[in-house]
mmCIF file of all heavy atoms in Angstrom:
data_model
loop_
_atom_site.group_PDB
_atom_site.id
_atom_site.type_symbol
_atom_site.label_atom_id
_atom_site.label_comp_id
_atom_site.label_asym_id
_atom_site.label_seq_id
_atom_site.Cartn_x
_atom_site.Cartn_y
_atom_site.Cartn_z
ATOM 1 N N ARG A 209 -86.333 66.440 -82.466
ATOM 2 C CA ARG A 209 -85.972 66.675 -81.050
ATOM 3 C C ARG A 209 -86.404 68.066 -80.609
ATOM 4 O O ARG A 209 -86.895 68.255 -79.498
ATOM 5 C CB ARG A 209 -84.463 66.527 -80.856
ATOM 6 C CG ARG A 209 -84.042 65.085 -80.757
ATOM 7 C CD ARG A 209 -82.531 64.963 -80.673
ATOM 8 N NE ARG A 209 -82.106 63.791 -81.410
ATOM 9 C CZ ARG A 209 -80.882 63.598 -81.896
ATOM 10 N NH1 ARG A 209 -79.945 64.509 -81.731
ATOM 11 N NH2 ARG A 209 -80.594 62.493 -82.540
ATOM 12 N N MET A 210 -86.211 69.037 -81.471
ATOM 13 C CA MET A 210 -86.611 70.412 -81.115
ATOM 14 C C MET A 210 -88.125 70.497 -80.945
ATOM 15 O O MET A 210 -88.629 71.076 -79.981
ATOM 16 C CB MET A 210 -86.153 71.400 -82.196
ATOM 17 C CG MET A 210 -84.720 71.850 -81.992
ATOM 18 S SD MET A 210 -84.069 72.697 -83.436
ATOM 19 C CE MET A 210 -85.358 73.837 -83.817
ATOM 20 N N LEU A 211 -88.843 69.917 -81.904
ATOM 21 C CA LEU A 211 -90.312 69.946 -81.825
ATOM 22 C C LEU A 211 -90.796 69.238 -80.563
ATOM 23 O O LEU A 211 -91.692 69.714 -79.865
ATOM 24 C CB LEU A 211 -90.928 69.270 -83.061
ATOM 25 C CG LEU A 211 -90.818 70.042 -84.369
ATOM 26 C CD1 LEU A 211 -91.292 69.188 -85.538
ATOM 27 C CD2 LEU A 211 -91.625 71.321 -84.317
ATOM 28 N N LYS A 212 -90.160 68.112 -80.245
ATOM 29 C CA LYS A 212 -90.562 67.369 -79.043
ATOM 30 C C LYS A 212 -90.331 68.226 -77.801
ATOM 31 O O LYS A 212 -91.166 68.254 -76.898
ATOM 32 C CB LYS A 212 -89.742 66.073 -78.911
ATOM 33 C CG LYS A 212 -90.204 64.944 -79.795
ATOM 34 C CD LYS A 212 -89.455 63.666 -79.421
ATOM 35 C CE LYS A 212 -89.935 62.488 -80.227
ATOM 36 N NZ LYS A 212 -89.362 61.218 -79.792
ATOM 37 N N HIS A 213 -89.205 68.912 -77.765
ATOM 38 C CA HIS A 213 -88.856 69.724 -76.596
ATOM 39 C C HIS A 213 -89.920 70.785 -76.332
ATOM 40 O O HIS A 213 -90.409 70.944 -75.218
ATOM 41 C CB HIS A 213 -87.485 70.368 -76.839
ATOM 42 C CG HIS A 213 -87.011 71.180 -75.690
ATOM 43 N ND1 HIS A 213 -86.587 70.588 -74.511
ATOM 44 C CD2 HIS A 213 -86.930 72.513 -75.512
ATOM 45 C CE1 HIS A 213 -86.274 71.548 -73.663
ATOM 46 N NE2 HIS A 213 -86.462 72.723 -74.241
ATOM 47 N N VAL A 214 -90.311 71.491 -77.395
ATOM 48 C CA VAL A 214 -91.300 72.566 -77.237
ATOM 49 C C VAL A 214 -92.676 71.960 -76.905
ATOM 50 O O VAL A 214 -93.393 72.430 -76.021
ATOM 51 C CB VAL A 214 -91.385 73.414 -78.524
ATOM 52 C CG1 VAL A 214 -92.390 74.539 -78.364
ATOM 53 C CG2 VAL A 214 -90.021 73.971 -78.876
ATOM 54 N N SER A 215 -93.005 70.876 -77.611
ATOM 55 C CA SER A 215 -94.306 70.233 -77.447
ATOM 56 C C SER A 215 -94.482 69.715 -76.018
ATOM 57 O O SER A 215 -95.549 69.837 -75.422
ATOM 58 C CB SER A 215 -94.395 69.089 -78.451
ATOM 59 O OG SER A 215 -95.662 68.542 -78.492
ATOM 60 N N ARG A 216 -93.419 69.165 -75.437
ATOM 61 C CA ARG A 216 -93.477 68.607 -74.075
ATOM 62 C C ARG A 216 -93.968 69.622 -73.056
ATOM 63 O O ARG A 216 -94.837 69.330 -72.239
ATOM 64 C CB ARG A 216 -92.072 68.196 -73.631
ATOM 65 C CG ARG A 216 -91.721 66.826 -74.001
ATOM 66 C CD ARG A 216 -90.309 66.544 -73.588
ATOM 67 N NE ARG A 216 -89.952 65.229 -74.099
ATOM 68 C CZ ARG A 216 -88.726 64.767 -74.155
ATOM 69 N NH1 ARG A 216 -87.720 65.504 -73.760
ATOM 70 N NH2 ARG A 216 -88.502 63.566 -74.614
ATOM 71 N N ARG A 217 -93.380 70.815 -73.104
ATOM 72 C CA ARG A 217 -93.762 71.833 -72.111
ATOM 73 C C ARG A 217 -95.230 72.185 -72.247
ATOM 74 O O ARG A 217 -95.957 72.305 -71.276
ATOM 75 C CB ARG A 217 -92.901 73.086 -72.293
ATOM 76 C CG ARG A 217 -91.549 72.927 -71.614
ATOM 77 C CD ARG A 217 -90.794 74.186 -71.678
ATOM 78 N NE ARG A 217 -90.605 74.563 -73.095
ATOM 79 C CZ ARG A 217 -89.852 75.548 -73.510
ATOM 80 N NH1 ARG A 217 -89.223 76.295 -72.659
ATOM 81 N NH2 ARG A 217 -89.722 75.810 -74.790
ATOM 82 N N GLU A 218 -95.652 72.315 -73.512
ATOM 83 C CA GLU A 218 -97.046 72.683 -73.753
ATOM 84 C C GLU A 218 -97.987 71.590 -73.243
ATOM 85 O O GLU A 218 -98.996 71.878 -72.600
ATOM 86 C CB GLU A 218 -97.228 72.891 -75.258
ATOM 87 C CG GLU A 218 -98.525 73.599 -75.577
ATOM 88 C CD GLU A 218 -98.704 73.783 -77.080
ATOM 89 O OE1 GLU A 218 -97.751 74.222 -77.757
ATOM 90 O OE2 GLU A 218 -99.818 73.476 -77.552
ATOM 91 N N ILE A 219 -97.624 70.339 -73.501
ATOM 92 C CA ILE A 219 -98.484 69.216 -73.088
ATOM 93 C C ILE A 219 -98.567 69.126 -71.569
ATOM 94 O O ILE A 219 -99.642 68.941 -71.001
ATOM 95 C CB ILE A 219 -97.942 67.895 -73.678
ATOM 96 C CG1 ILE A 219 -98.160 67.879 -75.180
ATOM 97 C CG2 ILE A 219 -98.609 66.695 -73.035
ATOM 98 C CD1 ILE A 219 -97.370 66.828 -75.894
ATOM 99 N N ARG A 220 -97.430 69.286 -70.908
ATOM 100 C CA ARG A 220 -97.408 69.215 -69.433
ATOM 101 C C ARG A 220 -98.366 70.255 -68.849
ATOM 102 O O ARG A 220 -99.180 69.968 -67.983
ATOM 103 C CB ARG A 220 -95.979 69.471 -68.951
ATOM 104 C CG ARG A 220 -95.774 69.302 -67.469
ATOM 105 C CD ARG A 220 -94.455 69.903 -67.072
ATOM 106 N NE ARG A 220 -94.369 71.291 -67.554
ATOM 107 C CZ ARG A 220 -93.229 71.930 -67.835
ATOM 108 N NH1 ARG A 220 -92.079 71.309 -67.714
ATOM 109 N NH2 ARG A 220 -93.225 73.181 -68.243
#
Side-chain angles (χ1 to χ4, degrees):
R209 280 176 217 158
M210 275 167 48
L211 288 172
K212 281 189 177 187
H213 182 72
V214 181
S215 188
R216 271 177 186 166
R217 278 186 301 188
E218 194 181 313
I219 290 165
R220 185 194 53 207

